[in-house]
Amino acid sequence: MRESIIMKIHYGTALAAVALVAVHILMRLTQGFAESLEYESVIANYKFLPYAGMLEIILILLSIHGFNGLRVILLELKQGRRYEKAVSYGCVVAMIALIAYGSRTIIMVNTGMM
């Protein structure tokens, strides 16, 4: 039962991420590639809160999806109650750390630190 819920989360995050990344790519196509990478353009994107929110959601979805996939792969390598707990907690901690670090840029831009 628990594994079925975890796989539903895995599939759901994949589908949602594909949809939002498609929107992200379509928004990037509205300007030239080189122009979209210029500092002023990137800062403007982070200051536009709906777009920054979408980037944050993409970060969360991909982090959950990626670390859940890594967890499944690591659990296939070895079994054992302590190992499974260590892998599960380690993946959750790494996921939270990645989300926190990724969110840092948006927070810094919107609080005037950049």
Side-chain angles (χ1 to χ4, degrees):
M1 171 85 165
R2 192 173 128 218
E3 289 302 316
S4 131
I5 293 170
I6 290 172
M7 289 314 293
K8 285 180 183 175
I9 290 170
H10 196 65
Y11 298 144
T13 55
L15 291 172
V18 166
L20 288 179
V21 169
V23 171
H24 169 64
I25 290 170
L26 289 172
M27 290 182 76
R28 293 299 89 225
L29 291 176
T30 61
Q31 60 186 155
F33 180 72
E35 182 185 341
S36 74
L37 296 177
E38 291 176 0
Y39 181 80
E40 293 80 19
S41 178
V42 172
I43 295 298
N45 287 332
Y46 285 137
K47 286 187 177 182
F48 183 54
L49 290 180
Y51 187 71
M54 185 186 72
L55 292 176
E56 184 72 21
I57 293 168
I58 291 171
L59 170 66
I60 292 167
L61 288 170
L62 291 179
S63 296
I64 292 170
H65 181 77
F67 280 105
N68 187 39
L70 176 63
R71 181 188 154 279
V72 169
I73 291 168
L74 292 174
L75 292 180
E76 287 178 358
L77 294 176
K78 183 179 174 187
Q79 279 76 41
R81 185 119 172 95
R82 288 181 64 192
Y83 176 76
E84 288 180 18
K85 282 182 114 175
V87 166
S88 294
Y89 287 125
C91 284
V92 168
V93 168
M95 178 185 64
I96 291 169
L98 180 66
I99 292 169
Y101 185 76
S103 301
R104 177 183 149 272
T105 305
I106 294 172
I107 292 167
M108 288 175 70
V109 167
N110 285 293
T111 58
M113 296 174 71
M114 287 181 95

